[in-house]
Amino acid sequence: MPDTLLQPDRGQAARTIDLIAPDAYDAWLGGQPQRVRTALAAQRFTGKAGSAAVFVDEDVHGIAIAGPADPWSLAKLAETLPAGTYRVAGEIGPAALGWVLGQYRFDRYRRPDDTGPRILLTRDAAGIEEVLRVAAATALVRDLVNTGAGDLGPAELEMAAEKLAREHHAALTVTRGDTLAADYPMIHAVGQAAVKERHPRLIELEWGDPAHPRIALVGKGVVFDTGGLDIKPSAGMRLMKKDMGGAAHALALASLVMAARLPVRLHLLIPAVENAIAGNAFRPGDVLRSRAGLTVENTNTDAEGRLILGDALTKAGEGKPELILDFATLTGAARVALGPDLPPLFTDDEDLARDILAAGDALSDPLWRMPLWGAYDDMLKSDIADMVNAPDGGFAGAVTAALFLRRFVPQDVAWAHMDVFAWRPTAKPGRPKGGEAYALRACYAVLKARYPRG
């Protein structure tokens, strides 16, 4: 998306968009000439919240009905209006983000859209940069998740982190090979069956003043998940290019933190693997040793994401951060419980839970808190090791996965786990079918509030 889609309003020529509250539509319509009322009636436009229409009134004109704090009210117009320059009659507010994201296209594998940009003028010139940053971070998640696994392996995730490091003068460290096997044995075990060019690695980025509060962002980077020897059916593998969606979220959130120059010492960690099948693939029944020293009986090779996150969370905790946020496309159980649009939030920290949920509600980026139910810790018991990675029976699958992760997080560190889907199964205005960012804007808002720039 070009960064010219939002521009300061200096009185230049532009077509008009009316952005109207639902309870003001009837009054607005009553003041319009008959030709406008006829055009809208022909489209069966009723002024329902979230709806939009295009009509001709001497020139091309748009109308959108905005609910309170709705970022998507202009998105449909951004998709359907002809190329040109527009201004809103009234305040744009959060709808500016939807205008930009309504023009997102993933064109890597097809001819680019050549219809031309729709430019929106705004009187809030000071807010343009932030809107474009958030839109770019959202587009980064979408682009990474939409990319086919043949074109995006552990090396390409490393390249994405390296690009961020160059842009923001951050330090990048990548651990692979024998050192990974010795220091991060669960990451190595999950990824060891991949071909040489797609061998596993731990990607780390550090940025900011070491004197500032330390925070860690951790993202699951399974670039493709066959299920391992507990192989998925073909239908279950169809979308497994998106199993690195947690890594995409962590990269995007890190980009926002650095671009906004928040006063933090940022530590980004991405365990990047392919859960492949070969003669050296890790097996059901194997006992894996973790970086934390805990042993894990592998009861399901398709519960690999929690294994690599366990080692990455251990490393994050060693830096003594005051906050850890992790993102992962971790469980199908989360989708069964809450569907694709509502990520479960797991945390023991009441203040952190309140802040994330409130930010999600305010920004139309919702989450739903799920319990870290301690009584279910017994489901992780093993007869031969410290724990299993996946209990038998499938009960409370998202909860037990989060409880597994909690064992690798220091008890005195505020921690939240987001079990995101990273995919939108059906299109909505501003949100095309495909890769999607969930909880990104909510978590960014929490970080900005906790660590304000002076």
Side-chain angles (χ1 to χ4, degrees):
M1 298 176 299
D3 59 7
T4 56
L5 297 179
L6 282 180
Q7 295 183 17
D9 191 344
R10 298 189 175 96
Q12 55 268 59
R15 296 160 168 162
T16 302
I17 296 172
D18 287 303
L19 187 60
I20 303 168
D23 59 3
Y25 175 68
D26 289 342
W28 175 89
L29 186 64
Q32 300 303 308
Q34 183 60 47
R35 63 180 179 276
V36 171
R37 296 197 296 271
T38 300
L40 292 174
Q43 299 180 49
R44 298 183 180 178
F45 187 75
T46 60
K48 184 176 70 173
S51 61
V54 177
F55 59 93
V56 176
D57 178 24
E58 298 176 350
D59 196 353
V60 176
H61 198 108
I63 177 174
I65 309 300
D70 179 8
W72 308 112
S73 54
L74 290 177
K76 184 176 179 180
L77 293 180
E79 296 172 359
T80 56
L81 283 166
T85 301
Y86 298 85
R87 67 164 48 86
V88 168
E91 295 298 323
I92 299 172
L97 177 66
W99 178 270
V100 179
L101 289 176
Q103 298 180 68
Y104 169 84
R105 300 289 184 275
F106 182 67
D107 292 325
R108 177 166 181 164
Y109 301 116
R110 61 186 177 188
R111 181 177 298 174
D113 181 4
D114 58 0
T115 57
R118 295 94 173 167
I119 296 167
L120 186 64
L121 305 179
T122 173
R123 293 190 293 272
D124 181 19
I128 291 176
E129 183 179 3
E130 180 74 345
V131 172
L132 293 177
R133 277 201 294 250
V134 173
T138 304
L140 175 62
V141 175
R142 294 176 177 180
D143 285 348
L144 289 171
V145 174
N146 284 329
T147 300
D151 294 317
L152 196 148
E156 285 73 28
L157 280 182
E158 179 182 331
M159 289 169 59
E162 184 179 15
K163 181 174 184 289
L164 282 182
R166 287 197 309 268
E167 289 174 355
H168 299 285
H169 307 290
L172 187 72
T173 304
V174 181
T175 305
R176 54 170 74 84
D178 291 342
T179 304
L180 184 77
D183 293 348
Y184 304 95
M186 292 200 296
I187 298 174
H188 178 265
V190 172
Q192 66 188 5
V195 296
K196 181 179 179 180
E197 294 77 13
R198 298 170 75 87
H199 271 184
R201 64 206 70 193
L202 177 66
I203 304 161
E204 296 179 81
L205 178 152
E206 293 209 52
W207 172 89
D209 187 338
H212 286 158
R214 187 175 182 87
I215 66 169
L217 307 178
V218 183
K220 173 187 168 185
V222 179
V223 296
F224 191 79
D225 182 18
T226 65
L229 291 174
D230 289 311
I231 190 169
K232 294 177 182 289
S234 59
M237 273 191 260
R238 173 66 180 85
L239 290 181
M240 282 301 100
K241 68 177 184 178
K242 77 172 186 64
D243 214 18
M244 40 58 64
H249 280 73
L251 282 163
L253 185 53
S255 74
L256 288 169
V257 168
M258 292 186 290
R261 304 200 63 79
L262 298 187
V264 296
R265 178 63 172 177
L266 173 66
H267 188 192
L268 169 69
L269 303 98
I270 296 174
V273 304
E274 179 167 16
N275 189 15
I277 300 173
N280 63 336
F282 75 129
R283 295 164 289 270
D286 284 354
V287 175
L288 310 178
R289 187 168 297 278
S290 69
R291 180 177 178 85
L294 294 169
T295 56
V296 180
E297 180 186 2
N298 177 37
T299 51
N300 186 346
T301 63
D302 197 21
E304 83 297 332
R306 66 200 69 181
L307 296 172
I308 67 173
L309 287 172
D311 274 354
L313 287 167
T314 299
K315 178 60 185 297
E318 291 167 6
K320 302 189 183 307
E322 64 178 44
L323 174 65
I324 299 175
L325 302 177
D326 83 67
F327 300 84
T329 52
L330 205 61
T331 66
R335 311 287 79 80
V336 172
L338 298 178
D341 293 353
L342 193 58
L345 165 67
F346 293 92
T347 181
D348 280 330
D349 188 292
E350 297 301 322
D351 291 339
L352 184 57
R354 182 195 63 241
D355 291 348
I356 293 176
L357 294 174
D361 288 344
L363 296 170
S364 297
D365 191 21
L367 302 93
W368 194 267
R369 190 179 183 186
M370 296 278 276
L372 281 163
W373 189 248
Y376 290 163
D377 264 316
D378 284 349
M379 293 185 184
L380 296 172
K381 285 183 176 178
S382 167
D383 295 331
I384 61 172
D386 292 324
M387 59 197 300
V388 299
N389 65 326
D392 293 332
F395 287 136
V399 177
T400 55
L403 290 170
F404 180 95
L405 297 182
R406 186 172 68 172
R407 301 227 181 155
F408 298 92
V409 178
Q411 292 184 359
D412 60 348
V413 174
W415 162 68
H417 160 59
M418 274 66 64
D419 192 339
V420 296
F421 190 44
W423 189 263
R424 184 168 294 282
T426 56
K428 297 180 180 179
R431 293 149 290 175
K433 180 179 178 180
E436 185 60 291
Y438 294 99
L440 175 66
R441 291 180 289 118
C443 288
Y444 177 45
V446 168
L447 294 180
K448 285 196 296 181
R450 288 193 168 211
Y451 307 104
R453 291 183 59 183

